[in-house]
């Protein structure tokens, strides 16, 4: 696999994956969401020498024609383009079906027609819902606890069906909660950091008791590449997890201690998810990725947080710390 397409390359994980692929010597085509401002999302922040090495294709993942055009001449596809915010999916679920399910179908159909060598479809730990047992392995039941999660379950099962029905060389890559530089403020870690860096001493959060298994984004990107480079992962769904959990409350205290120990947390009602929709516990099993690939976690949680804080200090203009970002 020499030439690869990254859909969602303009996004948080996609931009890091694009950089990691370049560093490993891949020829990268980046699929970015077309807009009339000619902005390429986070790709615009890459150094010019990196950007010059990337072929940028602007399109819309919901359009099968553009997707097929983008996929011509590539050996592999890392399909990350998706709508991801859970609260937004509560009031705009149609857009999630169109982007997450139909978008994935467009990639799968084009790959089948073009004979693409490898397809990595991006899943999420949210497909599992609240843990029914821990650590959560790939055999854990699925539970659609939000419209977002339901569309990701649908996309995963479509990918599985193309492997089983047509022998399409698909791997389903399932990152647990990823964090790091460039993550939007709709996620909990940038929410906490941006409020603290804006000088706030009352940090507004939703529920503090849920636990999450957090991957630093560079480890997540390395997981994608390790899965793509192993033939043993075809037809498999594979967690990228640290197999460690931390509660949102403990996480907030860790970040507060690194930035402003005088700050404290208050519960903001509008940030609470509906009771049956809140995923209370996520702790992933990483035995399968260790068995099938050579992936190893390189960053501790504290190291990842420190790098994220350092990056956000110089990019606060990208954050609206005064509002609740869905």
């Amino acid at each position: 696999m020499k030439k690869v397409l990254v859909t969602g390359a303009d996004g948080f994980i996609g931009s890091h994956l694009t950089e990691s692929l370049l560093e490993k010597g891949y020829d990268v085509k980046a699929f970015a969401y077309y807009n009339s401002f000619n902005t390429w999302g986070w790709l615009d922040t890459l150094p010019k020498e990196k950007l010059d090495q990337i072929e940028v294709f602007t399109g819309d993942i919901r359009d099968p024609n553009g997707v097929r055009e983008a996929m011509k001449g590539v050996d592999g596809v890392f399909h990350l383009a998706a709508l991801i915010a859970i609260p937004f999916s509560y009031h705009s679920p149609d857009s999630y079906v169109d982007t997450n399910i139909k978008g994935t179908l467009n990639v799968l159909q084009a790959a089948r027609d073009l004979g693409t060598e490898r397809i990595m479809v991006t899943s999420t730990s949210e497909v599992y819902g609240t843990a029914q047992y821990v650590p959560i392995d790939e055999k854990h039941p699925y539970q659609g606890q939000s419209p977002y999660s339901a569309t990701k379950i649908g996309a995963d099962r479509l990918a599985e069906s193309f492997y089983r029905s047509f022998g399409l060389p698909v791997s389903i890559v399932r990152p647990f909660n990823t964090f790091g530089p460039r993550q939007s403020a709709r996620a909990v870690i940038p929410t906490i950091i941006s409020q603290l860096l804006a000088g706030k001493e009352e940090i507004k959060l939703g529920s503090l008791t849920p636990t999450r298994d957090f991957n630093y984004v560079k480890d997540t990107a390395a997981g994608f590449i390790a899965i793509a480079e192993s033939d043993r992962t075809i037809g498999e769904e594979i967690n990228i997890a640290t197999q460690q959990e931390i509660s949102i409350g403990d996480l907030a205290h860790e970040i507060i201690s690194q930035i402003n120990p005088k700050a404290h947390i208050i519960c903001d009602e509008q940030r609470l998810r509906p009771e049956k929709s809140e995923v209370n516990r996520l702790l992933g099993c990483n035995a399968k990725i260790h068995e099938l690939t050579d992936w190893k976690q390189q960053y501790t949680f504290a190291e990842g947080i420190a790098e994220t804080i350092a990056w956000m200090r110089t990019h606060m203009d990208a954050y609206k710390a005064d509002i609740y970002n869905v």
Side-chain angles (χ1 to χ4, degrees):
M1 227 179 24
K2 283 279 176 278
K3 181 157 190 179
V4 294
L5 177 74
V6 180
T7 75
D10 44 347
F12 161 47
I13 299 176
S15 63
H16 284 280
L17 177 58
T18 298
E19 280 190 287
S20 297
L21 286 161
L22 278 180
E23 283 162 18
K24 294 207 75 169
Y26 284 88
D27 181 359
V28 185
K29 188 191 277 193
F31 189 105
Y33 185 34
Y34 172 81
N35 60 82
S36 57
F37 305 108
N38 200 30
T39 58
W40 296 343
W42 287 117
L43 293 175
D44 287 334
T45 67
L46 299 189
K48 187 174 185 312
E49 62 273 15
K50 280 188 184 171
L51 207 48
D52 287 346
Q53 295 175 56
I54 301 165
E55 179 187 348
V56 179
F57 181 102
T58 57
D60 189 325
I61 203 69
R62 298 168 298 186
D63 188 289
N65 308 291
V67 169
R68 180 176 276 97
E69 193 61 36
M71 284 173 58
K72 285 178 181 170
V74 302
D75 306 315
V77 179
F78 292 87
H79 173 44
L80 285 81
L83 279 174
I84 55 172
I86 291 166
F88 185 57
S89 80
Y90 294 147
H91 63 64
S92 297
D94 282 51
S95 58
Y96 284 70
V97 172
D98 291 345
T99 306
N100 297 355
I101 297 180
K102 183 81 192 323
T104 300
L105 179 62
N106 292 339
V107 170
L108 296 168
Q109 288 277 34
R112 188 183 167 210
D113 293 347
L114 296 167
T116 311
E117 281 175 32
R118 285 302 305 269
I119 305 95
M120 269 54 63
V121 169
T122 308
S123 179
T124 166
S125 53
E126 289 282 329
V127 300
Y128 297 128
T130 292
Q132 296 177 31
Y133 60 82
V134 294
I136 299 170
D137 60 20
E138 292 81 357
K139 294 183 169 64
H140 187 285
Y142 307 114
Q143 191 156 277
Q145 288 188 216
S146 62
Y148 162 67
S149 149
T151 61
K152 294 299 280 187
I153 293 169
D156 289 358
R157 305 300 30 110
L158 264 178
E160 178 192 22
S161 78
F162 269 66
Y163 166 71
R164 294 186 183 280
S165 303
F166 313 117
L168 199 69
V170 177
S171 300
I172 297 169
V173 182
R174 187 165 293 137
F176 275 65
N177 299 79
T178 299
F179 75 98
R182 305 179 198 149
Q183 188 171 28
S184 74
R186 42 135 227 101
V188 66
I189 289 176
T191 290
I192 298 166
I193 296 173
S194 62
Q195 290 181 68
L196 285 163
L197 293 181
K200 298 184 185 306
E201 298 208 338
E202 287 191 339
I203 307 306
K204 293 180 179 177
L205 291 174
S207 183
L208 302 181
T209 53
T211 66
R212 295 291 183 264
D213 183 331
F214 283 102
N215 285 305
Y216 185 55
V217 66
K218 289 178 184 172
D219 280 333
T220 300
F224 270 90
I225 296 170
I227 289 167
E229 289 180 345
S230 167
D231 288 340
R232 299 172 67 201
T233 60
I234 292 173
E236 301 288 345
E237 38 204 301
I238 302 159
N239 292 339
I240 306 178
T242 65
Q243 214 161 305
Q244 296 165 340
E245 66 186 323
I246 185 170
S247 72
I248 303 303
D250 288 347
L251 159 79
H253 289 303
E254 166 70 29
I255 298 171
I256 285 168
S257 72
Q258 286 197 34
I259 300 177
N260 176 11
K262 296 202 293 281
H264 61 278
I265 300 162
I266 58 170
C267 181
D268 179 4
E269 291 290 323
Q270 69 168 334
R271 296 170 192 255
L272 294 171
R273 293 189 197 173
E275 186 187 349
K276 288 187 177 66
S277 185
E278 178 61 84
V279 172
N280 292 310
R281 189 176 190 192
L282 284 175
L283 170 60
C285 175
N286 59 20
K288 192 170 181 180
I289 192 170
H290 286 310
E291 180 197 339
L292 299 180
T293 77
D294 59 2
W295 179 81
K296 286 185 181 62
Q297 186 187 348
Q298 300 294 328
Y299 291 83
T300 65
F301 182 68
E303 286 167 350
I305 290 292
E307 281 204 10
T308 307
I309 292 169
W311 182 86
M312 286 185 66
R313 278 189 198 280
T314 57
H315 292 82
M316 276 298 285
D317 55 342
Y319 292 88
K320 299 182 176 78
D322 298 336
I323 64 165
Y324 170 40
N325 298 269
V326 299

